[in-house]
Amino acid sequence: MPSVTIVGAGVAGLTIGYQLAQRGYRVTVLERNPVVGGLGRTFHYGDFHFDVGPHRFHTENPRVAAFIRDILQDEAIEIPRRSGARMFGRFHEWPLRPGILLAMPVALMIKGAKDLVFRERLPGESFEADVVNKYGRTLYDIFFEPYTRKFLFYSPSELHRDWARAGVNRAVIDTRARADSLWSLLKTTLLPKPVETMFLYPPRGVGRFADRLADGIRSMDGRIVLDGEVTRIDTDGRRITAVSTAAGRFAGDNVVWTAPLTTLNALLGVTGVDLEYLSTIFYNFEIGRPPRLNYQWTYFGGDEIFSRVTAPEAFLPSTVPPGKSGLCVEVTCRHKDARWQQPEALTHAIVADLVRTGMIAQAPDIERVHIERVPFTYPIYKLNYFTELTRNLRDLGVYRNLLLAGRCGRFWYNNMDHSIGQGLTMADKILRGQALSEIDSADREFWAMQDEDQAPAREEEIAEGVEEPDPAR
C-alpha cells in the first residue's frame, strides 16, 4: 500500500490527502498549528467565530463546486455578496456604484475624466505600469499606490504586474462584470444593479470545511499530526526519505509540501532565492452591540492603520451571539518585525481608527480583543519573482518524490477554490502513477483566460523545459 506524507493541513493538503485516502493510500498529514485549516481555519472564542480574514466558497469549476458541497453537506449555506470600501471619507458598495462619483472631489473627477481621453502608457511589467495603463494615473495616485504601500510595504513600481491580476482583477469575482480597464470599471460602476453572485458558507466559520476533510481522512485510517512543525528533512540522492517533527520521524513513498516554500528551502539547504512572504496580525474584536454596517468585509484606502476589516455576522448571524457583533481587523507586517513582536502596541491606534471611521460608535462597545499572529499569509510578487520562483522550482525538482502544492507551497496568490481544484487535479495525477516532481498544477488556464496576449510567451518557456510557476489569481 503506497504512503504519502503531507506537510500542511490547509485546504490543498487536506484535499489531496482525502482523495488519496479514498483510494487506499496511507496518509499522514503534519500541521504546525494545533488545529487544521491553515489560512482557511476559524478561531473560536465561545460563541464568537472568526475566520483568518474573509473567506467564502465560490467557483465556476463544476467539479470543485460538487466537492465542496459533498464535504459540507447540509452545512453549505448559500449567502449573497456584501462587500464595501471606504474612500473619500464615506463607505461605498463594492463593486463600486454611482454614488462614488458624488463623493469624489470635483478636481479628482476632472482628472479622472482626462485619464479616459489621454491614456498614459508606461512600459515594463510592474504593478504600477499595469494599473496606470488600465485605470489611469488619478486612480493610481489616490488609491492603488497608497493602499499597496500600506498593505505590502512596497511601491507598486517594485512589484510585478501579476500582483495586479491577482488582487485587482479578482476583486469583481463575477466574470460578467469586468474591471480590466478604466472604461470597463466605469461601466461596471454605472450598471443599474450590481451583478448578483451567491456564495457558500458554513454556520460557524469556513474552517468547518477543513475539519470535515480531516475527519474524513481519519475515518479512512489516515493520521493528522497537530503541533507538528517540520524540523528536519532527510534525503538520499534524488529522493526525500523522511520528514521529522517533535512528534517523531515520518517516512513516506511520497511527500507533498504545502507549507511556505522558503521554509522548505531552509530545510533542504537551498540558498540565494529572493522570495518573500507577507505576514498578518488579526485583531478579533468582540463587540457588545449589533453591527453598524452590513458589509462582509471592507477595504480601507485611507490613512487607517489597517487595510481590511471583516464582520463575521454579515456572512451568517450564527457566527456571533444574538445582539452582538464581531470585527476582524487585519494589519500586515514582516515576519518577526516590530509589529509581529509587539502586536498589543497597535491596539489603541486600531480602536481609535475604528471609532473615527464609524465602524464602532465608541471604544467601550468592545468587550474583548483576541490577537492572532498568522505568518506567511501572502506571497509577495516582486519584479523578479517569476525568475526567482522558476529557478527555485527547478532546484527542488531534483527530488522525484516531492510535490509542491497550495498557496504557500507554490508561492501562488489564490483563492480557496483554486487550491481545492489544484488538489483534486494533483491527486488524479498521483493516482495515475505520475512522478511527483513532474506534476504541474494545471492552473495555467487562468492566465490564458485573463491575458491571452501573454500565453505564447509562457508556452515557449514551458516548451524549453522551464516549469512555469503557478502565478496568483
Side-chain angles (χ1 to χ4, degrees):
M1 182 185 299
S3 64
V4 60
T5 300
I6 300 171
V7 179
V11 294
L14 291 174
T15 297
I16 294 171
Y18 186 89
Q19 294 293 97
L20 296 183
Q22 283 188 317
R23 296 289 294 272
Y25 270 66
R26 290 183 288 112
V27 174
T28 300
V29 182
L30 309 177
E31 170 55 49
R32 67 182 295 273
N33 291 304
V35 297
V36 299
L39 298 178
R41 67 187 184 272
T42 300
F43 298 108
H44 305 283
Y45 319 110
D47 291 330
F48 283 90
H49 311 279
F50 292 84
D51 296 333
V52 179
H55 290 283
R56 306 169 292 195
F57 290 105
H58 174 75
T59 180
E60 296 179 3
N61 183 321
R63 186 185 182 192
V64 173
F67 183 74
I68 293 170
R69 287 187 177 275
D70 183 60
I71 297 301
L72 289 177
Q73 295 291 319
D74 59 350
E75 294 186 74
I77 310 299
E78 286 197 348
I79 63 172
R81 172 188 183 140
R82 293 188 298 269
S83 303
R86 182 174 169 82
M87 299 174 63
F88 311 117
R90 291 169 53 185
F91 290 98
H92 305 275
E93 297 283 340
W94 182 267
L96 297 175
R97 311 305 313 141
I100 186 69
L101 302 177
L102 300 177
M104 291 180 64
V106 175
L108 286 181
M109 293 178 64
I110 295 173
K111 291 178 65 177
K114 289 181 179 179
D115 287 341
L116 287 170
V117 180
F118 304 102
R119 300 288 300 277
E120 182 177 354
R121 302 298 300 178
L122 293 183
E125 295 189 335
S126 71
F127 178 17
E128 177 187 21
D130 191 82
V131 171
V132 170
N133 293 343
K134 287 180 178 178
Y135 305 113
R137 176 64 64 178
T138 302
L139 277 180
Y140 173 83
D141 287 341
I142 66 175
F143 184 78
F144 289 107
E145 201 279 340
Y147 183 90
T148 301
R149 282 189 179 275
K150 177 171 69 170
F151 184 76
L152 286 174
F153 309 105
Y154 280 100
S155 164
S157 64
E158 301 173 284
L159 301 172
H160 196 275
R161 65 178 180 179
D162 286 352
W163 182 265
R165 304 177 201 181
V168 178
N169 294 3
R170 185 178 60 188
V172 172
I173 293 185
D174 194 301
T175 55
R176 293 170 293 173
R178 296 177 61 84
D180 55 0
S181 71
L182 188 56
W183 277 112
S184 62
L185 184 63
L186 183 62
K187 287 172 63 179
T188 298
T189 301
L190 295 174
L191 285 174
K193 59 184 300 185
V195 176
E196 189 67 34
T197 305
M198 299 301 291
F199 301 83
L200 299 179
Y201 192 79
R204 282 176 169 75
V206 77
R208 185 61 177 150
F209 180 75
D211 292 338
R212 296 192 73 148
L213 281 174
D215 289 343
I217 292 172
R218 294 186 184 103
S219 72
M220 294 180 280
D221 298 323
R223 185 179 181 188
I224 309 289
V225 180
L226 302 177
D227 293 312
E229 184 170 4
V230 175
T231 57
R232 177 185 173 91
I233 296 178
D234 296 326
T235 63
D236 182 8
R238 299 192 65 187
R239 295 188 63 81
I240 291 177
T241 56
V243 177
S244 297
T245 74
R249 185 173 183 270
F250 302 88
D253 302 316
N254 308 287
V255 176
V256 176
W257 184 273
T258 72
L261 187 57
T262 50
T263 302
L264 180 61
N265 288 339
L267 291 166
L268 289 175
V270 176
T271 59
V273 179
D274 183 22
L275 294 176
E276 183 182 352
Y277 291 85
L278 191 70
S279 294
T280 306
I281 306 168
F282 296 89
Y283 297 78
N284 294 327
F285 290 93
E286 298 181 15
I287 312 297
R289 294 180 180 274
R292 308 191 81 202
L293 298 172
N294 197 32
Y295 296 138
Q296 290 156 346
W297 69 76
T298 306
Y299 296 102
F300 288 81
D303 60 353
E304 305 86 4
I305 193 172
F306 42 80
S307 54
R308 186 168 59 182
V309 175
T310 308
E313 72 283 343
F315 290 79
L316 283 174
S318 53
T319 57
V320 301
K324 298 190 178 184
S325 58
L327 291 176
C328 172
V329 178
E330 299 178 49
V331 177
T332 54
C333 65
R334 302 284 176 81
H335 189 51
K336 295 187 177 180
D337 67 4
R339 286 184 172 185
W340 180 269
Q341 298 291 351
Q342 295 182 307
E344 298 84 1
L346 298 178
T347 305
H348 179 77
I350 291 171
V351 173
D353 277 346
L354 290 175
V355 174
R356 177 168 63 94
T357 58
M359 292 297 293
I360 60 175
Q362 55 186 353
D365 291 346
I366 297 173
E367 295 183 339
R368 198 170 290 105
V369 59
H370 309 269
I371 300 176
E372 306 285 356
R373 292 179 291 187
V374 180
F376 313 120
T377 45
Y378 296 90
I380 302 177
Y381 285 2
K382 293 183 288 188
L383 278 171
N384 65 344
Y385 99 95
F386 185 83
T387 301
E388 293 294 301
L389 181 54
T390 299
R391 178 165 59 88
N392 197 178
L393 295 177
R394 184 186 293 128
D395 290 342
L396 295 172
V398 302
Y399 298 103
R400 298 285 295 168
N401 64 333
L402 172 66
L403 173 63
L404 305 176
R407 180 171 178 144
C408 287
R410 297 290 298 197
F411 205 76
W412 180 30
Y413 180 17
N414 65 358
N415 282 342
M416 287 191 301
D417 62 296
H418 304 133
S419 283
I420 294 167
Q422 183 192 69
L424 294 172
T425 301
M426 288 180 164
D428 290 344
K429 294 183 177 183
I430 293 172
L431 292 168
R432 290 199 294 265
Q434 189 168 343
L436 266 65
S437 62
E438 297 175 358
I439 295 177
D440 197 0
S441 65
D443 296 300
R444 203 172 290 130
E445 291 83 357
F446 166 75
W447 293 101
M449 288 187 296
Q450 293 294 322
D451 280 291
E452 293 180 0
D453 59 345
Q454 295 299 314
R458 299 282 175 136
E459 289 169 2
E460 289 174 6
E461 291 171 336
I462 297 164
E464 293 170 0
V466 178
E467 181 181 10
E468 181 191 21
D470 306 311
R473 177 172 178 175

